């Protein structure tokens, strides 16, 4: 398992990594690459000066120009043409170069497309004090750079431009920079630590508060959510948690309601079964077919409730996979209506089917029949004495709409969005008929959602209700 670290340490670690990275970059560029950069730059200047002189080579003011250039750039220049012009600066080597050396450089330049760069260690001659005539050669790491450019190569008298400069060692500068970096490093690291501490504190505080509030949540205290709204993320987290708390509260209530409703619904048939059973056991005269029928009916009702509950929990957990097929929805409606034949005879119920032609749809036939059953059961349960129910099949373009209409008590507008919730009852006193399990519409909703069908209800109190669902017609055989 990944080790969890306190935010404070994480922030500190990130900041340190960042600081060390920046310091390393500074050290690399300022200390390690200083000498190469310096050398590169100096050589570039030397080449630029030679190029500028080339452009002025035929000018009358060449001499002044060369002298100002060499002063500006701390270098010395020698131009060898018919009349030798040379500009000297302190430590200038090229003015003392013997002619054979000059020719050697010029030849090398001619062979190399007109330019030649020579870089050699600089040797300083030193007189040893006391022994007047003794001279020693001294290397201090400095370099002597001579850049030779031969111009007017094609003419009879080519001109040789020689630019000479010294590249000093930058040891002292790099050492000074190293010390500076060390100090900067210490200061930046310390300030990063302080910054990390305060940043973490600022970030952690509201999170810790939310954490505390969430802990209260798990104890069932849904009210005390933190009101700290320092920054957007915390505000959003707060909002999410508040919503989650409300959902949990709702789910908690739904769970309690569900248990109360289920036990109530189970108790009624169980009481009947036990009552009738005991009565038949105690009084032999009561062992009538009628009483046995009551027991059988109540047992059936029990199994309907239990099956519905199991169905709903499977549907809600998405454990049910639809057995999708193309089927004749018109025929399916007819088959469902036919199952009510017995009912129709016993009670005064009329179920009409209003259709023009047979159409096919894609869906799980068994589940869609279940939807139709649940809607028709409700239409029967919530109708008056005169139970007239009409199933309409309407074809609207590419779509087919199945509507289950009753002329019963209807549903108030405010209750319409709630009736799809499990165990929501408009009329709490309503005595459920033998068919209902209290979760009929919740099952309808889950099944139609799974099918991605559109569905809904239109209802007016005391006029009746129309429950419907709609889907695309499948053309062809
Ligand atoms: P129940 O077993 O209570 O009928 P349902 O989930 O099928 O459970 O329905 C939920 C609630 O919606 C019902 O209690 C009832 O108040 C209302 N309802 C459903 N269908 C109708 C209808 N056709 N007419 C009037 N009210 C209805």
């Amino acid at each position: 398992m990944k080790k969890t670290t306190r935010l404070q340490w994480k922030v500190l670690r990130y900041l340190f990594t960042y600081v060390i990275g920046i310091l390393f970059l500074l050290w690399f560029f300022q200390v390690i690459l200083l000498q190469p950069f310096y050398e590169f730059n100096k050589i570039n200047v030397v080449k630029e000066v030679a190029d500028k002189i080339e452009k002025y080579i035929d000018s009358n003011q060449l001499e002044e120009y060369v002298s100002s250039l060499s002063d500006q750039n701390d270098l010395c220049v020698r131009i060898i043409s018919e009349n030798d012009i040379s500009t000297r600066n302190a430590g200038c080597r090229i003015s003392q170069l013997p002619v054979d050396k000059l020719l050697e450089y010029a030849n090398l330049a001619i062979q190399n497309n007109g330019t030649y760069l020579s870089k050699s260690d600089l040797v300083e001659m030193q007189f040893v004090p006391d022994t007047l005539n003794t001279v020693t050669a001294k290397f201090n790491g400095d370099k002597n750079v001579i850049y030779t450019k031969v111009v007017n190569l094609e003419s009879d008298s080519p001109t040789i431009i020689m630019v000479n400069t010294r590249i000093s060692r930058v040891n002292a500068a790099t050492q000074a920079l190293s010390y500076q970096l060390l100090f900067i490093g210490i200061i930046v690291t310390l300030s990063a630590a302080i910054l990390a501490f305060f940043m973490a504190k600022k970030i952690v505080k509201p999170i810790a508060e939310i954490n505390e509030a969430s802990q209260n949540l798990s104890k069932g205290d849904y009210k005390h959510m933190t009101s700290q709204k320092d920054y957007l993320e915390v505000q959003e987290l707060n909002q999410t948690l508040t919503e989650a708390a409300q959902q949990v509260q709702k789910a908690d209530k739904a769970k309690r309601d569900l248990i109360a409703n289920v036990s109530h619904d189970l108790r009624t048939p169980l009481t009947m079964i036990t009552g009738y059973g005991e009565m038949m056991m105690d009084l032999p005269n009561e062992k009538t077919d009628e009483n046995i029928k009551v027991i059988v009916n109540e047992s059936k009702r029990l199994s309907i409730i239990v099956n519905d509950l199991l169905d709903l929990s499977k549907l809600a957990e998405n454990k049910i996979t639809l057995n999708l097929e193309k089927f004749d929805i018109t025929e399916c409606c007819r088959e469902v209506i036919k199952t009510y034949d017995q009912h129709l005879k016993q009670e005064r119920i009329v179920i009409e089917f209003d259709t023009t032609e047979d159409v096919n749809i894609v869906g799980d036939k068994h589940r869609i029949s279940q939807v139709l059953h649940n809607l028709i059961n409700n239409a029967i349960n919530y109708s008056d004495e005169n139970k007239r129910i009409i199933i309409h099949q309407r074809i609207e373009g590419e779509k087919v709409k199945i509507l289950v209409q009753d002329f019963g008590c209807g549903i108030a507008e405010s209750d319409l969005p709630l009736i799809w919730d499990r165990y929501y009852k408009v009329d709490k006193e309503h005595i459920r008929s033998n068919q209902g399990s209290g979760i009929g519409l919740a099952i309808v909703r889950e099944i139609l959602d799974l099918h991605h069908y559109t569905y809904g209800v239109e209802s007016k109190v005391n006029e009746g209700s129309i429950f419907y669902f709609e889907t695309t017609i499948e053309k062809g055989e």
Side-chain angles (χ1 to χ4, degrees):
M1 211 176 80
K2 207 163 170 248
K3 210 173 146 248
T4 45
T5 331
R6 276 196 171 275
L7 188 68
Q8 219 150 315
W9 296 120
K10 270 229 154 119
V11 175
L12 193 67
R13 218 165 58 199
Y14 291 148
L15 268 178
F16 272 180
T17 319
Y18 179 70
V19 164
I20 288 168
I22 294 281
L23 286 176
F24 173 78
L25 270 183
L26 278 175
W27 171 78
F28 188 70
F29 279 93
Q30 292 206 326
V31 177
I32 301 295
L33 293 183
L34 187 65
Q35 183 74 35
F37 272 179
Y38 172 66
E39 268 190 49
F40 177 76
N41 191 39
K42 267 266 168 163
I43 289 170
N44 263 355
V45 169
V46 163
K47 287 180 177 172
E48 270 172 28
V49 166
D51 291 345
K52 280 179 184 166
I53 292 171
E54 184 188 356
K55 283 188 194 139
Y56 264 83
I57 205 80
D58 296 323
S59 158
N60 297 337
Q61 282 128 21
L62 179 64
E63 203 163 337
E64 288 107 72
Y65 184 62
V66 166
S67 120
S68 86
L69 267 181
S70 55
D71 283 349
Q72 273 168 24
N73 297 299
D74 189 25
L75 39 78
C76 74
V77 178
R78 187 167 182 186
I79 301 170
I80 302 144
S81 60
E82 279 161 315
N83 39 0
D84 181 357
I85 309 167
S86 85
T87 310
R88 294 157 190 232
N89 270 7
C92 184
R93 299 275 156 154
I94 42 178
S95 54
Q96 300 145 19
L97 273 186
V99 179
D100 57 336
K101 206 69 186 155
L102 280 180
L103 287 175
E104 186 192 328
Y105 282 146
N107 279 331
L108 283 168
I110 291 166
Q111 282 161 26
N112 188 39
N113 291 332
T115 61
Y116 175 69
L117 182 82
S118 130
K119 206 161 69 173
S120 57
D121 287 329
L122 199 68
V123 188
E124 303 268 10
M125 295 302 177
Q126 263 190 351
F127 282 103
V128 180
D130 305 334
T131 51
L132 271 175
N133 296 327
T134 324
V135 181
T136 54
K138 188 180 158 239
F139 296 93
N140 62 358
D142 288 2
K143 286 199 172 102
N144 186 38
V145 170
I146 300 174
Y147 182 66
T148 313
K149 186 162 192 175
V150 184
V151 296
N152 292 338
L153 261 176
E154 298 80 22
S155 73
D156 294 339
S157 53
T159 307
I160 305 164
I161 303 167
M162 294 185 98
V163 185
N164 173 211
T165 194
R166 165 200 282 245
I167 298 176
S168 322
R169 291 293 302 165
V170 286
N171 280 357
T174 50
Q175 209 162 30
L177 281 171
S178 304
Y179 279 127
Q180 256 192 11
L181 275 178
L182 188 71
F183 280 118
I184 294 175
I186 293 170
I187 294 168
V188 172
T189 312
L190 281 178
S191 45
I194 296 168
L195 192 70
F197 177 74
F198 283 109
M199 260 168 73
K201 228 178 150 177
K202 190 108 182 82
I203 299 169
V204 166
K205 201 176 160 224
I207 296 178
E209 277 177 16
I210 292 182
N211 187 25
E212 201 180 315
S214 324
Q215 278 166 0
N216 289 340
L217 253 186
S218 60
K219 289 178 207 147
D221 175 6
Y222 302 114
K223 287 173 212 92
H224 298 106
M225 289 309 295
T226 171
S227 58
Q228 182 90 26
K229 285 176 182 141
D230 259 10
Y231 37 95
L232 191 66
E233 286 81 357
V234 170
Q235 205 177 329
E236 282 173 358
L237 181 61
N238 197 28
Q239 176 88 16
T240 315
L241 268 176
T242 313
E243 278 166 22
Q246 283 163 358
Q247 292 294 333
V248 172
Q249 203 171 0
K250 246 169 109 182
D252 205 30
K253 188 177 173 303
K255 192 178 79 188
R256 271 184 274 124
D257 285 356
L258 186 76
I259 294 171
N261 282 313
V262 169
S263 18
H264 175 263
D265 277 11
L266 293 179
R267 206 173 46 204
T268 320
L270 278 174
T271 317
M272 297 274 273
I273 293 167
T274 333
Y276 273 78
E278 278 173 357
M279 186 172 75
M280 282 160 64
M281 212 163 65
D282 295 344
L283 311 165
N285 288 350
E286 291 295 330
K287 275 191 188 151
T288 59
D289 281 355
E290 208 143 299
N291 287 344
I292 291 173
K293 209 172 154 195
V294 171
I295 292 181
V296 170
N297 282 345
E298 289 303 313
S299 311
K300 276 185 187 162
R301 189 176 154 197
L302 261 184
S303 70
I304 287 175
I305 295 172
V306 173
N307 283 339
D308 273 3
L309 275 171
L310 285 175
D311 257 8
L312 184 64
S313 78
K314 278 192 220 156
L315 281 163
E317 284 173 35
N318 281 337
K319 277 193 183 152
I320 282 191
T321 42
L322 292 178
N323 205 353
L324 292 179
E325 57 173 329
K326 185 169 153 184
F327 68 93
D328 185 339
I329 180 67
T330 326
E331 189 53 36
C332 177
C333 289
R334 278 190 210 105
E335 283 167 14
V336 172
I337 295 168
K338 207 167 162 43
T339 59
Y340 288 88
D341 272 0
Q342 280 293 335
H343 239 81
L344 301 180
K345 274 181 209 152
Q346 282 169 15
E347 300 182 39
R348 277 187 296 146
I349 307 172
V350 184
I351 302 183
E352 295 166 25
F353 188 28
D354 155 34
T355 177
T356 49
E357 57 178 300
D358 278 29
V359 284
N360 290 325
I361 60 168
V362 169
D364 185 326
K365 191 177 173 187
H366 167 67
R367 296 284 164 197
I368 296 299
S369 309
Q370 201 179 350
V371 166
L372 284 167
H373 267 293
N374 287 2
L375 294 182
I376 296 172
N377 287 346
N378 280 351
I380 296 173
N381 288 345
Y382 300 99
S383 281
D384 317 330
E385 290 299 290
N386 173 25
K387 298 184 177 179
R388 182 174 176 229
I389 291 144
I390 312 175
I391 322 276
H392 304 270
Q393 178 191 285
R394 283 193 201 140
I395 296 168
E396 294 166 358
E398 305 267 275
K399 306 260 176 184
V400 58
K401 200 171 186 179
I402 305 290
L403 307 99
V404 179
Q405 181 178 20
D406 68 66
F407 302 89
C409 59
I411 307 158
E413 208 174 324
S414 53
D415 288 317
L416 283 180
L418 307 169
I419 53 169
W420 305 93
D421 292 343
R422 60 183 84 167
Y423 278 111
Y424 182 81
K425 275 176 277 173
V426 173
D427 176 6
K428 302 276 173 197
E429 298 305 311
H430 179 83
I431 297 154
R432 214 170 265 125
S433 94
N434 283 351
Q435 297 287 333
S437 61
I439 48 176
L441 285 183
I443 292 176
V444 167
R445 182 181 64 177
E446 295 287 350
I447 294 175
L448 295 178
D449 276 343
L450 267 179
H451 278 83
H452 304 294
Y453 289 178
T454 36
Y455 58 91
V457 56
E458 285 160 20
S459 187
K460 268 205 179 124
V461 177
N462 295 330
E463 284 185 25
S465 316
I466 303 176
F467 283 83
Y468 64 86
F469 62 87
E470 188 181 49
T471 184
T472 317
I473 299 171
E474 277 301 306
K475 293 259 159 62
E477 275 314 295

